[in-house]
Amino acid sequence: MRLVRCRFVKVVTIEFNLLAEMIFVAYICVNKSAHGRSPVVCRLSPTQFRGLTVSADISLKSHITVMLLSRTYKVLLTVFVSLIVVMIGIVIFFGTRTSQSELCADDWSGEVAVLPVDGTPLFVTVAPGLRFRIDTGSDVSCITEKDLETLRSMGYETNESFYPLLGRNSLGDSHVYTKRYRVDVPFCRYECETDTFGNRSYRMNSSVVNVFHNVDFVPASADHSTLGIDFLENFILEYRHNDHLLLLHRDLPDGYEPCVDLQVSRSPWNWMRVGHRYYIDVSLDQIHDDYFIDTGMRHAYMKAPCSRIPQHKDLDSYQVSTYRGDHEAQIDPAGWLAIGDREGPAIVYYYDNGEEDYSFNPLNLKEMDVVVDFIGNRLMFRR
């Protein structure tokens, strides 16, 4: 018989190929000694011993496997938790970025600015050589180097700083910006002229009626400057269709009644951007959807995706041009539209452009004055 003496962990006349065999057999012997079996010697037959060593080998390998799996699990868990913490940190960092936080003007009362609009999409000229696109679809206000030089030549400050922020520009592209300009922007006076046929035109004179201070801009990617939603949401926008005028207010103008509430997007992705995204509930052909308020949309004032094209109507084809390219569209000249308590026929454009599926441009409304109250979160129409 072969003997294994457990106290000194010696192996007598046995060759162990694995350390696991010795450890497991020693464990068995110590257990027997603990139950009063002395001397502390275990006598095992070769068959018993071979079975025990196999069991020891399997047991130790299983234990090592569990340890390795446990260690791998801990590493993966640590990596996963670290990624979550980093993502939360990124969300909090960009979510706390601000724009226009120190915006002010020489005069906040009444009509803060009166601006003729023209072009497609709509632009305003605030001073000689300073022309801005009006785009609520742009999270950030953007300015070209040319317009910065124009401001400097007029004697206004243009301070550059390092300020990381996330935002979508007027081209519909999202960027992380690190450079920001804080500038003063003058708004000049316009004189209205009416010809013998009743057509109105506006002529800018050189007198400055108001100056906006600490207006925040990021470098423009396009060849034009833009007043984005980060700037526009500080005002009540009034659009007078017949006069082709856009007016900026801080107090609600008279003659309008509320129609529908504005809803602000609460998604984390949009929360990380410096500007908000505003929606209204619209019923198109008896189907309700949330429509994004996009004053940068050309021509159309109602846009829906191709998946909503009514199959029972024979629609005309049309090519829509945007800053993101040309898109094949179908036009329904008799869509039935309901916004709040106002309803009637409307021209609806159906196309996909990789941006918002449903969009509404209140500045493209025909024969209707409208107020977009970003301060009180209301869309209003003339009484």
Side-chain angles (χ1 to χ4, degrees):
M1 303 294 291
R2 299 182 181 181
L3 304 178
V4 179
R5 187 170 298 276
C6 300
R7 177 177 297 177
F8 302 102
V9 197
K10 293 181 179 179
V11 180
V12 181
T13 66
I14 298 178
E15 293 182 0
F16 290 96
N17 295 323
L18 296 172
L19 179 62
E21 299 173 357
M22 185 174 66
I23 295 173
F24 184 78
V25 175
Y27 171 76
I28 296 296
C29 296
V30 171
N31 276 351
K32 288 181 178 291
S33 176
H35 286 81
R37 300 180 183 181
S38 57
V40 189
V41 176
C42 302
R43 299 177 180 274
L44 302 173
S45 68
T47 303
Q48 291 174 323
F49 182 77
R50 190 177 299 110
L52 287 175
T53 57
V54 171
S55 299
D57 187 35
I58 295 174
S59 177
L60 186 60
K61 288 182 177 179
S62 299
H63 181 64
I64 293 173
T65 301
V66 171
M67 289 180 63
L68 291 175
L69 289 175
S70 177
R71 182 175 299 176
T72 303
Y73 171 77
K74 289 179 181 178
V75 171
L76 292 176
L77 181 61
T78 301
V79 172
F80 178 75
V81 172
S82 299
L83 288 175
I84 294 297
V85 171
V86 170
M87 291 176 63
I88 293 175
I90 291 174
V91 171
I92 293 175
F93 175 79
F94 284 110
T96 55
R97 302 283 88 183
T98 60
S99 185
Q100 319 299 347
S101 58
E102 298 184 24
L103 176 67
C104 61
D106 288 347
D107 185 5
W108 279 125
S109 62
E111 298 168 349
V112 181
V114 180
L115 303 167
V117 296
D118 63 88
T120 303
L122 297 176
F123 281 80
V124 297
T125 302
V126 301
L130 283 177
R131 185 172 171 82
F132 293 91
R133 179 184 175 189
I134 301 297
D135 189 3
T136 57
S138 180
D139 298 324
V140 290
S141 295
C142 312
I143 193 167
T144 63
E145 187 61 38
K146 175 179 176 294
D147 287 340
L148 285 172
E149 287 298 329
T150 300
L151 286 169
R152 296 186 189 110
S153 67
M154 298 172 68
Y156 293 98
E157 294 186 2
T158 59
N159 298 314
E160 179 182 329
S161 63
F162 175 79
Y163 191 83
L165 56 85
L166 175 66
R168 182 188 289 105
N169 61 22
S170 61
L171 301 180
D173 299 324
S174 295
H175 292 283
V176 175
Y177 296 93
T178 57
K179 183 187 296 184
R180 182 171 76 174
Y181 300 102
R182 178 162 284 178
V183 307
D184 294 341
V185 180
F187 284 70
C188 290
R189 184 185 303 278
Y190 277 90
E191 302 293 341
C192 179
E193 299 176 349
T194 305
D195 61 19
T196 56
F197 297 99
N199 299 317
R200 298 180 181 179
S201 60
Y202 297 91
R203 180 177 57 85
M204 177 188 295
N205 61 35
S206 57
S207 61
V208 175
V209 294
N210 209 349
V211 178
F212 287 80
H213 303 279
N214 304 320
V215 185
D216 292 330
F217 291 96
V218 299
S221 301
D223 58 356
H224 60 266
S225 298
T226 301
L227 293 177
I229 189 61
D230 63 329
F231 175 84
L232 297 172
E233 66 181 351
N234 292 280
F235 302 96
I236 299 171
L237 272 60
E238 179 187 6
Y239 180 63
R240 298 177 185 172
H241 174 265
N242 290 334
D243 298 331
H244 300 288
L245 285 178
L246 179 67
L247 296 87
L248 305 184
H249 302 267
R250 295 285 289 182
D251 299 312
L252 195 65
D254 295 331
Y256 292 88
E257 59 182 8
C259 182
V260 66
D261 292 336
L262 304 184
Q263 306 165 24
V264 182
S265 172
R266 302 296 182 186
S267 74
W269 179 241
N270 289 329
W271 182 75
M272 292 169 60
R273 306 169 189 270
V274 292
H276 297 100
R277 296 184 75 78
Y278 293 85
Y279 298 80
I280 60 171
D281 177 67
V282 175
S283 171
L284 174 61
D285 294 334
Q286 312 301 319
I287 300 177
H288 286 264
D289 287 290
D290 291 333
Y291 282 71
F292 173 61
I293 296 181
D294 185 4
T295 59
M297 186 167 58
R298 304 183 187 186
H299 304 295
Y301 70 89
M302 295 299 303
K303 178 246 180 193
C306 292
S307 59
R308 279 290 311 275
I309 294 177
Q311 301 301 317
H312 62 282
K313 293 183 179 181
D314 185 18
L315 305 183
D316 294 329
S317 296
Y318 185 80
Q319 189 173 66
V320 174
S321 295
T322 71
Y323 283 106
R324 302 184 69 84
D326 297 330
H327 312 278
E328 294 298 325
Q330 304 229 351
I331 301 178
D332 182 3
W336 191 257
L337 189 69
I339 303 176
D341 59 355
R342 302 289 183 100
E343 60 181 307
I347 301 174
V348 182
Y349 286 68
Y350 294 93
Y351 63 94
D352 299 315
N353 61 347
E355 297 187 83
E356 295 280 352
D357 286 337
Y358 299 89
S359 297
F360 167 71
N361 187 352
L363 305 189
N364 280 344
L365 286 171
K366 306 300 182 184
E367 301 179 359
M368 186 177 298
D369 294 346
V370 62
V371 162
V372 184
D373 180 5
F374 288 115
I375 297 177
N377 285 340
R378 295 171 294 181
L379 182 73
M380 311 178 73
F381 292 114
R382 179 77 72 181
R383 290 192 180 97

